[in-house]
Amino acid sequence: MAEFDLIRQLQQRICAADAPWRSSCRVGIGDDAAVLESPAGRQFVVCTDSLVQAVHFPVDTPAAAVGHKALAVNLSDLAAMGAEPAWFFLSLTLPEPDTVWLEGFMQGMAALARECGIYLAGGDLSSGPLNVCVAAIGLVDTGCYLTRSGAAAGDLIAVSGRPGAAAHALDCLKEGRKASAADRLALEFPTPRIALGQCLPGVASACIDLSDGLLADLGHIMEASAVGAVLELSSLPCPASLAPLPECERWSLQLSGGDDYELCFTLPPGSSDRLDEIRRRSGVELTVIGQITDDPGLSVRAPDGSDFEPARSGYEHFRGAGG
Ligand code: ADP
Ligand code: MG
């Protein structure tokens, strides 16, 4: 397929006709750059994230999952900042224009773009090893964004959903075992917590999305906020697919596994009654799993009160998982 045919197809398939911010994209695909209207009283929240084959996803990942996930990880970053998704850009590096693969890829990306109302405003195409880079732009009311740096001693630590299933799927695939359907769905089609993120400004004191693993990402909140934390493993909600595992193995997956794309946030203890209302509005399970402390450092408490040391740490590029 020729380059411009492919661009036209991407435009036809992925640009959501009813995206709320479509008309604010005054110039989109087809010119040298996009022109976006800046809405009065709002600020832009901008992020970018790449998916590189064999680094971020196994070589045999279905094309629809690659399309979904490349957009989902960016939507998750917007959610963590409390932003409403508006526009995105897609830079696609392909070894060859494989029409079957592209069909799946576009279907996966288009379905999520539609669901989240985000509009494709431009991008780039080149040939080379498979690499999907998305940049996304969201909007917040001026000043109403979340950061990692506002957590204070005494704040509660909450998490959405049930972390661990994606890491379990990845372990199974790496070891040549078959992952369960639920775990595979968590790994390949993560759900960015967009509605939840937009409920949190004004309530949460700090927020992050879980991409590198709960401990590593909570560690980023601790560092940015200059605080410590205590996590209670008895409170950590367990995905059904992990329930049969020995506790130590399950906790390690849940704490250090990564790829969850859940939100972890802190909130003042006096706001805990707001959690029910946020649960209702966002439709997402929320669980208090610990508390922020003055003492620096993180302690993870097992149900018997002892300290738990996970067998592996979170994912870091240039070091590898579990190092
Ligand atoms: P230039 O050479 O000036 O950078 P391109 O030929 O790369 O322009 O792109 C032409 C138009 O097509 C631009 O508006 C660009 O945003 C759009 N475009 C290119 N690749 C993609 C893509 N993968 N997804 C969406 N739009 C794209
Ligand atoms: Mg140009």
Side-chain angles (χ1 to χ4, degrees):
M1 195 185 314
E3 181 181 346
F4 292 99
D5 291 338
L6 179 51
I7 294 174
R8 195 163 341 106
Q9 281 220 21
L10 290 165
Q11 180 171 26
Q12 283 166 358
R13 295 290 304 279
I14 304 178
C15 288
D18 54 355
W21 296 97
R22 180 190 173 123
S23 62
S24 302
C25 176
R26 291 298 159 92
V27 178
I29 293 175
D31 221 307
D32 286 307
V35 178
L36 306 170
E37 206 65 53
S38 68
R42 307 200 81 184
Q43 285 172 316
F44 294 123
V45 178
V46 186
C47 62
T48 182
D49 232 329
S50 308
L51 290 193
V52 180
Q53 190 177 47
V55 176
H56 297 98
F57 59 91
V59 173
D60 54 0
T61 301
V66 178
H68 173 99
K69 194 161 174 175
L71 181 55
V73 299
N74 283 276
L75 289 166
S76 179
D77 282 330
L78 291 184
M81 302 294 289
E84 173 190 1
W87 310 283
F88 74 107
F89 295 81
L90 168 64
S91 293
L92 195 52
T93 306
L94 296 170
E96 68 208 329
D98 174 341
T99 48
V100 175
W101 189 90
L102 279 165
E103 182 56 36
F105 173 83
M106 289 191 287
Q107 182 253 313
M109 185 168 277
L112 183 61
R114 212 139 281 154
E115 193 185 314
C116 301
I118 192 163
Y119 186 72
L120 180 62
D124 188 40
L125 278 180
S126 53
S127 61
L130 182 58
N131 180 333
V132 187
C133 179
V134 169
I137 304 177
L139 298 166
V140 289
D141 290 343
T142 301
C144 295
Y145 48 83
L146 304 163
T147 65
R148 301 174 176 185
S149 60
D155 284 0
L156 305 174
I157 302 167
V159 72
S160 66
R162 301 180 168 220
H168 191 219
L170 197 57
D171 270 9
C172 289
L173 297 177
K174 276 191 198 148
E175 292 161 12
R177 289 182 289 137
K178 196 169 153 38
S180 73
D183 287 350
R184 226 178 146 138
L185 201 65
L187 177 67
E188 293 179 341
F189 293 90
T191 305
R193 301 300 191 187
I194 295 162
L196 171 62
Q198 289 177 77
C199 292
L200 295 179
V203 182
S205 46
C207 186
I208 192 166
D209 73 317
L210 299 184
S211 53
D212 297 334
L214 179 57
L215 291 190
D217 290 318
L218 180 59
H220 294 315
I221 288 186
M222 287 163 44
E223 197 183 335
S225 302
V227 292
V230 179
L231 276 192
E232 302 287 350
L233 288 175
S234 57
S235 305
L236 187 62
C238 174
S241 55
L242 268 59
L245 297 182
E247 272 182 339
C248 286
E249 197 180 321
R250 154 161 93 82
W251 290 331
S252 281
L253 283 169
Q254 292 201 269
L255 296 172
S256 313
D259 259 335
D260 296 302
Y261 302 102
E262 296 294 349
L263 296 184
C264 176
F265 59 95
T266 59
L267 72 167
S271 313
S272 63
D273 53 337
R274 303 280 301 273
L275 279 178
D276 277 336
E277 172 208 330
I278 296 171
R279 259 184 218 112
R280 254 196 322 277
R281 278 171 57 201
S282 64
V284 179
E285 178 179 4
L286 300 176
T287 311
V288 172
I289 55 169
Q291 198 156 23
I292 296 294
T293 59
D294 263 331
D295 294 339
L298 175 68
S299 79
V300 182
R301 251 190 238 140
D304 66 2
S306 64
D307 279 335
F308 177 73
E309 282 287 336
R312 57 184 191 180
S313 52
Y315 190 86
E316 255 183 67
H317 288 280
F318 310 116
R319 191 183 64 161

